Amino acid sequence: MSTTATGFSAAGLRRLHDVLSRHVDSGKIPGLVALVSRGDGEPHVETIGTMRHDGGPAMRRDTIFRMASTSKPVSVSAAMVLLDECRLRLDDPVEPWLPELADRQVLKRIDSSLDDTVPARRPITVRDVLTSTFGLGMDMTVLGTPIMAAVFEQGITPNLPVPMPEQDEWMARLGTLPLMYQPQERWQYQISSDLLGVLVSRVSGQSYDAFLRERVFEPLGMKDTGFSVPADQIDRLPPLYAPDPQTGEFHVWDEAEGGRHSSPPAFQGGGGGLNSTADDYHAYLRMLLNHGTHQGERILSRPAVELMTTNRLTAEQLAAREALARDNVHISFGQGQHGGWGFGMAVRTYRGDYAPIGQFGWDGGAGTSTYADPSNQLVGILLTQVGTSAPYSVQLMHDFWTTVYQSLGD
């Protein structure tokens, strides 16, 4: 079989194009941008469909997307810069910068009332926050418990009708809640990543956005990545759609002009909120595969990248994470079954599909999927703006990764 210069077979790339086109032709995905690369080879890019469900401008390589939770693998790099500079230490308590989290109480059981608690066994550390094990998170398997009701009532999670408040108010609200579990006891989603943005901001004395821009985005040439899209570029941002789970009817959840990403948000969270392009995100993942360097310039140390991109969870913590993914496929449509978790991203610890052990990255609820694979020196990026209220975009993600791996030339 002939192989293209980029390390993929020509026949495999044709199949990739055909499979992606099939999803767009179905009417369930208005449009997409996909990028794959190997080593230092030129990326292969697919732009298919339109920016709106009802037509409109064609998708372009420089279309800007809401990255949602695929912000996590990028935004964690700010903390790694501070670790490299010894402005943070992994096992230091976070209380000097996050005094709202001092003297924590912990629920006796996950379904306890909010005052049925015991004292935390020890302070929350930087490591707890980086590994998403500080004791509080989004757990869709315990909806209806008092603690999850309180999390929603406090408005400290994204995608609620009212955006999250500025970081000091966000911290004040977080500080009113008990922890669900003891620090380091259990991996939990989302809130750790948002907390990380506050920690970076307070340690650095800069806004989270400014620190990321100065230390990560600008050195990498990520000119279109940030927490909002400038007015003169807003035409490059598609609407975000949330299909009706029952009927599949398309609803606009967030319009581009005048929407949540058209101006700087009150809360700059590490868990989501970044906008980016395929080429910007490619520069970031390629830097990680290059052990922290970009065009000869060091962005992160090699050990920092290794900590981020290898599993950091114990067997006990992994058991809870694996159960969450495998037992709730009706919620996730099969995503999340990687096994491990590093800093801010999933790490594959077993082979359950076409991707090998060691692949790292994450997926986003706005229809984005971004991973790098050290063993194949592979980067894959799939960007849509179809939320996961229906399975369409996740099914596309599965097919994208299957066709990426079947197209490898070797």
Side-chain angles (χ1 to χ4, degrees):
M1 182 180 291
S2 64
T3 304
T4 69
T6 54
F8 302 91
S9 73
L13 290 179
R14 285 194 298 272
R15 181 177 290 167
L16 173 66
H17 172 82
D18 291 346
V19 168
L20 297 180
S21 296
R22 189 191 313 154
H23 280 272
V24 173
D25 292 343
S26 73
K28 296 177 179 178
I29 302 291
L32 60 87
V33 176
L35 180 152
V36 292
S37 74
R38 294 191 71 188
D40 296 324
E42 189 67 22
H44 174 83
V45 179
E46 298 278 355
T47 58
I48 304 173
T50 57
M51 289 177 58
R52 299 191 68 92
H53 183 55
D54 51 2
M59 281 288 183
R60 306 185 327 198
R61 181 166 177 164
D62 68 348
T63 296
I64 298 172
F65 293 85
R66 300 164 191 79
M67 299 307 291
S69 285
T70 47
S71 303
K72 291 177 172 70
V74 175
S75 58
V76 71
S77 61
M80 306 313 292
V81 170
L82 295 175
L83 283 168
D84 275 345
E85 296 178 349
C86 298
R87 296 162 77 183
L88 282 176
R89 301 183 193 92
L90 283 172
D91 294 304
D92 275 359
V94 297
E95 290 172 18
W97 304 285
L98 306 175
E100 298 92 341
L101 297 183
D103 302 321
R104 292 292 82 198
Q105 292 290 309
V106 183
L107 296 176
K108 290 181 180 177
R109 299 185 318 276
I110 192 61
D111 58 352
S112 289
S113 63
L114 299 189
D115 58 359
D116 185 24
T117 61
V118 296
R121 289 193 289 263
R122 63 162 175 78
I124 296 167
T125 65
V126 173
R127 187 188 301 271
D128 299 335
V129 177
L130 282 166
T131 54
S132 295
T133 59
F134 87 98
L136 196 61
M138 290 289 293
D139 188 344
M140 306 311 284
T141 67
V142 294
L143 292 177
T145 56
I147 184 61
M148 282 305 299
V151 166
F152 290 128
E153 287 166 8
Q154 291 291 346
I156 60 172
T157 58
N159 303 327
L160 296 176
V162 178
M164 295 191 290
E166 54 82 27
Q167 68 176 30
D168 289 348
E169 172 62 21
W170 188 86
M171 283 300 307
R173 296 183 190 182
L174 183 67
T176 67
L177 300 174
L179 301 181
M180 296 173 169
Y181 299 97
Q182 292 284 345
Q184 274 285 304
E185 185 179 352
R186 189 182 182 101
W187 180 88
Q188 291 183 285
Y189 194 54
Q190 183 62 41
I191 297 178
S192 282
S193 298
D194 282 330
L195 183 60
L196 196 62
V198 181
L199 180 63
V200 168
S201 177
R202 290 185 175 178
V203 172
S204 68
Q206 297 176 261
S207 72
Y208 191 36
D209 179 60
F211 189 84
L212 277 167
R213 191 171 304 281
E214 178 185 322
R215 304 304 302 274
V216 181
F217 300 159
E218 289 178 358
L220 287 172
M222 297 171 68
K223 62 184 186 300
D224 291 314
T225 303
F227 286 100
S228 61
V229 179
D232 61 353
Q233 302 295 320
I234 200 71
D235 62 313
R236 294 166 57 195
L237 180 72
L240 172 59
Y241 293 102
D244 185 284
Q246 275 71 50
T247 67
E249 182 183 356
F250 272 64
H251 299 290
V252 175
W253 192 88
D254 185 44
E255 193 56 83
E257 197 162 343
R260 293 194 178 198
H261 293 255
S262 64
S263 59
F267 185 85
Q268 299 167 358
L274 286 177
N275 306 282
S276 193
T277 62
D279 282 300
D280 274 13
Y281 209 108
H282 177 248
Y284 180 76
L285 287 182
R286 185 55 59 192
M287 178 271 291
L288 295 184
L289 286 180
N290 289 337
H291 312 296
T293 62
H294 172 73
Q295 296 179 354
E297 181 178 355
R298 182 156 293 283
I299 311 298
L300 296 172
S301 70
R302 186 184 188 117
V305 173
E306 290 169 350
L307 278 172
M308 295 163 65
T309 61
T310 54
N311 178 51
R312 305 262 59 84
L313 300 183
T314 66
E316 293 77 17
Q317 293 162 339
L318 270 178
R321 170 160 154 64
E322 290 175 349
L324 184 68
R326 293 173 179 170
D327 296 346
N328 293 281
V329 292
H330 60 294
I331 296 173
S332 67
F333 310 116
Q335 287 300 82
Q337 299 185 65
H338 319 83
W341 191 262
F343 290 166
M345 65 191 82
V347 180
R348 289 191 183 265
T349 54
Y350 65 93
R351 186 152 198 170
D353 55 24
Y354 279 52
I357 292 171
Q359 184 207 48
F360 57 82
W362 197 227
D363 306 296
T368 54
S369 187
T370 53
Y371 289 86
D373 167 5
S375 62
N376 290 293
Q377 282 298 296
L378 169 73
V379 169
I381 296 166
L382 174 69
L383 305 176
T384 77
Q385 291 289 249
V386 179
T388 54
S389 53
Y392 310 147
S393 57
V394 181
Q395 290 169 346
L396 169 61
M397 293 174 196
H398 289 306
D399 291 350
F400 170 69
W401 288 108
T402 297
T403 49
V404 166
Y405 277 102
Q406 63 79 38
S407 70
L408 296 183
D410 50 3

